Amino acid sequence: MSLQSPDMSRKDLGITFTVAAVARRLGVAAATLRTWDRRYGLGPSAHEAGAHRRYTADDLARLETMRRMVNAGVPAAQAAKIAGHAQSSELPTIDIEAALEIERPVGGGDVVPLGSANSYARGLARAAMSLDSLACQTAIVQQLRTKGAMWTWTHMITPVLVGLGLRWESTNRGIEVEHVLSESIISAMNLHIASMEDPINSRPVLLACAPEDLHSLPLYAIAAALADQRISCRILGARVPHDSLISAMTRVGPSSVLIWAQISGSSDPARLAGLPHQRPAARIVAGGPGWTGQMPSGVIKVDSVAAAVSELVAASRI
Ligand code: B12
């Protein structure tokens, strides 16, 4: 633990960090850091008379390496061995000035409430809280490949999104975490969608957000779940103006159209009556918790991503 890269020793000037600061920086609980210290000897190596032991920049770099590996699925004991024995040149360089920022107390709310979520969701939340896009993306891609899009969305991603939403609601903080996670989800889902071969549908499915809604993640989850059934989509993305949706429908002649509203008031259901009546007819599905009020006749309302996928699959098979 005493090895220091030339870059770090030049910059760290003996500055050390508390367990709480390191926990914040890495996005792991302080209790986890204590466990890593007790079990694997990856702990603070600086001593201060009469005070708690503190972490050096080198300790921080080793723990960062450990966290990255654990997030990528390496068993903790193996990750600790690699991180503990790594040469200084193999460790990430710690920018001391940026690291010092984490010494500032930030108040409560540094934990994402996850309830009884599984270990995949917990790993994803840790990676997101550390703003580690690559770890988020890799973890999601892995589960998309092994368990499919519906499982990954429902059991890995949704608990983290709900937890981040609750955290934001109670602390007004964490938009940067939401953005990192959102971008990672979109990249991972797009990779999964692009790997689909030989779609079975000749008319595409159109996916759009309601005119004032930025919550586009469910569109990518739906597209990835449809890709698992070899159904191809066109994703129009966030905040799609009504006229643009009409124009897209006219140009591609979809088998079905999904308009997702996550927040109430982001669209007026009455406007759905003005969508073109095509031949053959497109199934119109209004999805998400944001739709309130009476739906025009012929419009199917669904509350969840899973229900939306069922409707769109059925329309693609007619
Ligand atoms: C990611 C996110 C964003 C990203 C979107 C990025 C993108 N490309 O999509 C960004 C940062 C852009 C964003 C912006 C905003 N957001 Co936002 N966002 C979210 C977040 C965290 C996830 C959205 C999502 O994809 N949900 C999809 C899935 C997870 O939701 P769902 O299918 O409806 O699933 C529900 C059920 O499955 C059930 N559920 C399932 N499992 C579990 C487990 C537990 C424990 C619980 C309790 C429930 C539950 O609850 C889920 C949520 O209702 C949600 C939190 C949330 N709970 O949804 C807030 C949330 C939707 N956002 C919210 C708000 C207020 C905003 C902003 C207005 C913030 C602002 N002041 O600027 C803007 C809106 C801008 C706009 N015009 O659209 C509120 C909406 C409140 C409401 N009901 O209207 C939410 C709910 C956060 C909150 N707790 O207050 N957001």
Side-chain angles (χ1 to χ4, degrees), residues 42 79 83-84 128 130 134 144 163 186 191 200 217 225 230 251 280 284 304:
L42 272 190
S130 337
L134 189 59
L144 285 172
I186 293 173
L191 276 174
I200 56 169
L217 297 179
R230 288 179 41 216
R251 285 159 66 188
I284 309 295
S304 68

Side-chain angles (χ1 to χ4, degrees), residues 148-234:
M150 244 3 274
W151 188 96
T152 306
W153 173 255
T154 310
H155 300 292
M156 182 188 197
I157 297 174
T158 297
V160 184
L161 290 174
V162 170
L164 287 177
L166 294 172
R167 180 174 179 258
W168 176 81
E169 215 172 351
S170 61
T171 63
N172 230 338
R173 292 176 34 224
I175 295 293
E176 75 288 4
V177 180
E178 278 182 28
H179 279 303
V180 162
L181 180 60
S182 299
E183 293 303 320
S184 307
I185 295 169
I186 293 173
S187 314
M189 294 285 180
N190 271 332
L191 276 174
H192 190 69
I193 294 162
S195 68
M196 175 185 43
E197 286 172 11
D198 303 329
I200 56 169
N201 54 324
S202 51
R203 296 158 67 208
V205 175
L206 265 187
L207 304 177
C209 280
E212 294 304 327
D213 214 306
L214 280 177
H215 298 90
S216 60
L217 297 179
L219 303 185
Y220 293 89
I222 291 167
L226 291 176
D228 281 340
Q229 308 213 29
R230 288 179 41 216
I231 294 169
S232 72
C233 304
R234 308 282 161 86

